[in-house]
Amino acid sequence: HPASGKNVETPNFWTVRIQPRDKSFRITIFGTPDCFTEINTEFDLKKDMSSYSSFKLQTGGQLPSALSLIRRASELNQSRKRRGNS
């Protein structure tokens, strides 16, 4: 989205925004921080927009943890869709 500078995945369960000042990525994922307690990561998940969380990816070594969170966000999004179609 040009206005926000975010790259949005379709379906919309995660976004990424380049943070040029500190050379990191701000990632927003579907699900509140309490939805990810079973995933052991070094990220400080913060509440973001309604029903979303965000964290900052700063090193390549953090990619496996980031992918675990994104996978879980995808599962949560799929679960939400199934409940909505029932």
Side-chain angles (χ1 to χ4, degrees):
H1 294 311
S4 69
K6 292 180 183 177
N7 295 299
V8 180
E9 179 65 27
T10 302
N12 183 8
F13 66 91
W14 76 288
T15 67
V16 63
R17 183 174 185 183
I18 298 169
Q19 304 287 292
R21 186 173 297 153
D22 67 358
K23 298 180 176 139
S24 68
F25 298 94
R26 181 174 180 266
I27 299 179
T28 306
I29 52 178
F30 177 74
T32 56
D34 60 307
C35 295
F36 300 94
T37 56
E38 75 280 357
I39 299 174
N40 187 18
T41 73
E42 68 267 31
F43 297 114
D44 179 23
L45 283 174
K46 301 204 182 289
K47 178 102 171 88
D48 203 274
M49 304 171 292
S50 177
S51 301
Y52 284 79
S53 300
S54 65
F55 62 94
K56 197 173 260 202
L57 177 67
Q58 297 176 298
T59 69
Q62 294 175 314
L63 278 171
S65 291
L67 290 174
S68 293
L69 292 170
I70 293 168
R71 268 191 227 102
R72 178 70 178 132
S74 175
E75 293 166 1
L76 292 168
N77 187 54
Q78 290 298 318
S79 176
R80 171 180 67 162
K81 285 182 174 185
R82 282 191 297 271
R83 283 194 313 270
N85 292 335
S86 300

